Amino acid sequence: MNKVKRKTWEHPWSYKESFVIAFAVMLLGFLIEFISGGSGVSAPSWPNNLYLLLGILNFNVIAYVLYKDHPIVKWMGRVPAAVSAISIFTVLILMMGFTLQEDAAASDLVRRLGLSHVTRSWPYLLVVLYFLLTLGFVTLRKVLPWKNKNIGFLLNHLGLWIIIVGGILGSGDLMRLRMSLNEGKTTDVATDYRGQAYEMPFAIHLNDFMIDEYPPKVGIIDKNLGALAGEEHKSFFEAAEGYVGEIGNLQFEVLRFYPESMRQGDVFQEFKGEGSAPAAEIRLFNKQNQTLKTGWICSGNAFQKAEYFDFDEQFALMMLQPVAKEYSSNIKLITDEGAEEFDLLVNVPVRRMGYTIYQVGYDERFGRHSTLSVLEIVRDPWLPLVYLGIFMVIAGSLYIFWIGRKEKINTENE
């Protein structure tokens, strides 16, 4: 017998209607954003984000319990609605990836559509709410009534719901601040990316800033081409005393290298003090025209200018700025309870009073002579909730894997 073809918008709705609705939700968001002039919407902060979370949760549960047989509720708890929500959310994320965010130079149209601030825009808010509602109904459909076999499903989907809620609703309470410290100075003020100042519940005193650098690289430049001589990945060599190498027709030897030096007349002399910069004496031989020359190069810094070695009309040597191997700050953290001193290292943050303190930078113009240390101070009170969601997803995946393996073994033994 021939099946009767279902008409569009006739229940039960399928993928066609689901994608139309999801697309309409996103378009509505763009329309609101455009009408509002691209002002966006701020993420709610405490306690408003908690009220919003409880509102979404209560709406999901009450609507499902009272109206689970309603065609729209049944549709939102099924695969087509979930797939459309995930797809439209992915489209927004791709838009964010292709558009420079928080760009002050963005065109008026891009700004008014919210594409320059996707995560603060109306389309993002509406799509996320649509996604959370569908995910909530899908989860409830599987767990009410309760069946033990759905434990893995519950952990995966509820965990994903918690991750999204914690990450998005918690963004209103996220603080990501910068604090600039000078040696011997104390401050309790940090600023956000807009330059707005915040007073911290603690003060930080910078005792000392320490930096260790790699030996700088030396490059041979073809002045006629305005590019590196030889193959690009072989155009630089390390300024290590005694180093001998060859690039194309050029042979070179590092006769002397001073990590810290100062020019004295026609040469550089080792000098360990403020203003010193790396310098090297290089002997260069051109096999093509049998030319041999020796000269000095210096990377330079804020105290003395860089110096190049013009070997001939075609080639010149230059020294790059040394790259930091590691750097750290010895700081004193001062609170109402007292003070403590510790070294703050890159990628080794310290957590105090609900804040995580990172070592992120220094004044690169001065290199090893920098007396400025830049810290990042982050407060994210919703992060434990996100971690809980991640743990639930992992646990659900392991549970499903374990159950599937157990069922396979039982099937093989029958």
Side-chain angles (χ1 to χ4, degrees):
M1 295 181 63
N2 295 329
K3 291 184 178 180
V4 178
K5 186 177 180 181
R6 184 184 63 84
K7 296 181 181 179
T8 303
W9 301 112
E10 180 182 341
H11 291 288
W13 292 345
S14 187
Y15 286 99
K16 182 189 299 183
E17 294 86 353
S18 299
F19 275 98
V20 169
I21 292 173
F23 191 68
V25 169
M26 185 175 67
L27 284 183
L28 176 61
F30 280 123
L31 180 62
I32 296 174
E33 185 73 23
F34 186 83
I35 293 174
S36 65
S39 58
V41 55
S42 300
S45 57
W46 185 267
N48 294 327
N49 45 14
L50 177 62
Y51 299 152
L52 181 58
L53 167 60
L54 295 176
I56 295 172
L57 185 60
N58 287 333
F59 177 84
N60 264 136
V61 175
I62 293 173
Y64 186 81
V65 171
L66 297 181
Y67 304 101
K68 65 178 180 180
D69 293 326
H70 191 281
I72 293 180
V73 175
K74 291 175 68 175
W75 161 73
M76 293 193 72
R78 298 192 179 277
V79 173
V83 171
S84 69
I86 294 172
S87 300
I88 211 70
F89 182 72
T90 303
V91 168
L92 270 182
I93 297 301
L94 289 175
M95 288 182 180
M96 182 171 64
F98 286 114
T99 309
L100 184 61
Q101 298 298 291
E102 307 299 342
D103 181 18
S107 68
D108 183 63
L109 179 62
V110 169
R111 183 185 57 81
R112 294 196 66 176
L113 288 176
L115 295 177
S116 63
H117 50 275
V118 171
T119 57
R120 297 188 295 105
S121 67
W122 277 101
Y124 185 80
L125 173 63
L126 295 184
V127 167
V128 166
L129 288 175
Y130 175 65
F131 182 45
L132 287 175
L133 290 175
T134 57
L135 184 59
F137 281 124
V138 168
T139 305
L140 289 169
R141 187 174 66 87
K142 274 291 187 178
V143 300
L144 294 178
W146 175 254
K147 295 179 182 179
N148 289 336
K149 68 177 182 179
N150 291 330
I151 292 177
F153 183 94
L154 173 64
L155 289 172
N156 276 334
H157 288 72
L158 183 58
L160 178 60
W161 193 89
I162 289 174
I163 291 172
I164 296 173
V165 164
I168 294 176
L169 295 186
S171 62
D173 295 320
L174 174 65
M175 296 181 67
R176 190 178 297 275
L177 309 173
R178 289 290 178 102
M179 178 181 283
S180 297
L181 297 167
N182 288 291
E183 286 184 355
K185 302 294 184 180
T186 304
T187 184
D188 62 352
V189 176
T191 58
D192 61 16
Y193 72 95
R194 297 187 184 93
Q196 182 176 348
Y198 294 84
E199 185 176 351
M200 296 289 98
F202 50 80
I204 298 180
H205 178 88
L206 179 61
N207 297 321
D208 189 24
F209 177 74
M210 300 154 287
I211 184 170
D212 186 19
E213 298 174 331
Y214 290 103
K217 297 289 185 180
V218 177
I220 299 179
I221 307 299
D222 189 325
K223 294 186 290 185
N224 295 336
L225 298 177
L228 297 170
E231 298 179 37
E232 185 172 349
H233 67 284
K234 296 180 180 179
S235 297
F236 289 98
F237 58 92
E238 190 175 283
E241 191 166 311
Y243 187 89
V244 177
E246 185 173 313
I247 297 178
N249 294 321
L250 303 174
Q251 294 179 337
F252 52 84
E253 179 182 0
V254 181
L255 302 178
R256 282 182 285 181
F257 171 66
Y258 300 134
E260 297 180 77
S261 67
M262 188 74 73
R263 174 170 279 282
Q264 300 290 334
D266 295 332
V267 300
F268 281 83
Q269 297 289 345
E270 189 171 19
F271 172 75
K272 295 184 178 181
E274 187 177 32
S276 65
E281 185 182 21
I282 309 291
R283 177 188 291 144
L284 199 60
F285 177 68
N286 189 327
K287 293 187 293 183
Q288 185 174 4
N289 56 25
Q290 300 297 301
T291 305
L292 177 66
K293 282 189 177 182
T294 301
W296 285 91
I297 54 175
C298 175
S299 63
N301 54 28
F303 299 99
Q304 58 178 310
K305 65 179 183 180
E307 296 199 24
Y308 305 92
F309 173 24
D310 283 321
F311 176 64
D312 55 27
E313 293 182 355
Q314 182 176 4
F315 297 107
L317 264 67
M318 63 173 291
M319 178 181 288
L320 302 183
Q321 290 291 335
V323 177
K325 182 187 298 183
E326 60 181 23
Y327 51 93
S328 62
S329 297
N330 180 261
I331 64 176
K332 179 190 293 183
L333 187 73
I334 306 168
T335 65
D336 292 338
E337 286 74 29
E340 62 171 318
E341 292 188 12
F342 51 84
D343 287 336
L344 187 62
L345 309 174
V346 176
N347 297 325
V348 187
V350 173
R351 186 171 178 81
R352 295 291 187 275
M353 302 179 67
Y355 292 84
T356 305
I357 307 172
Y358 298 85
Q359 172 74 69
V360 295
Y362 59 97
D363 193 336
E364 297 182 4
R365 297 173 303 164
F366 294 89
R368 66 170 65 242
H369 302 294
S370 174
T371 59
L372 174 72
S373 177
V374 181
L375 310 183
E376 184 174 68
I377 302 175
V378 179
R379 182 177 182 269
D380 189 359
W382 289 66
L383 189 59
L385 186 65
V386 176
Y387 286 152
L388 173 63
I390 294 174
F391 174 78
M392 291 175 65
V393 170
I394 294 174
S397 300
L398 292 176
Y399 180 84
I400 292 173
F401 173 78
W402 178 70
I403 290 296
R405 184 174 180 274
K406 185 177 179 180
E407 290 179 352
K408 180 179 179 180
I409 293 174
N410 292 336
T411 302
E412 293 174 350
N413 293 334
E414 291 179 354

